[in-house]
Amino acid sequence: MFTKQYYQNVASVLDEVATNESVSIQKAGQKVAETLKADGLIHVFGCGHSHMIAEELFYRAGGIAPIDPIFDTTAMLHEGAQKSSSDHR
């Protein structure tokens, strides 16, 4: 059945993330906590569909208040993908 296969694939990916990235996730969470304790801002950005993550953090009722969304529409896919994927180093 397709749904069972999909579930198994998603669970496998999540297990891999939990196994291989738990230290990095813990460090990132600590940085966020330290920033919030220091009355800092959490800057969020996304282009394409990933900008919805920034919207969820910023617009969500009852969410974390000190969120600074960077909504640069020129970097979103509907404006063209070149800016969102160029290397600005």
Side-chain angles (χ1 to χ4, degrees):
M1 180 178 254
F2 175 76
T3 55
K4 186 172 182 173
Q5 181 184 2
Y6 178 80
Y7 173 82
Q8 289 171 337
N9 289 342
V10 169
S12 174
V13 169
L14 290 174
D15 284 343
E16 186 176 335
V17 169
T19 299
N20 297 326
E21 302 298 334
S22 62
V23 172
S24 296
I25 292 169
Q26 186 70 27
K27 286 180 183 178
Q30 187 64 39
K31 293 282 188 185
V32 169
E34 290 169 5
T35 298
L36 295 175
K37 273 183 154 180
D39 294 323
L41 283 172
I42 305 297
H43 305 283
V44 293
F45 169 78
C47 58
H49 286 89
S50 63
H51 81 276
M52 290 185 289
I53 296 169
E55 290 176 358
E56 281 292 317
L57 291 170
F58 181 63
Y59 290 122
R60 175 67 64 190
I64 301 171
I67 297 293
D68 177 32
I70 302 168
F71 295 138
D72 181 359
T73 58
T74 64
M76 294 183 186
L77 299 178
H78 70 279
E79 298 276 338
Q82 185 174 6
K83 184 174 181 181
S84 67
S85 60
S86 61
D87 186 357
H88 293 287
R89 285 186 239 168

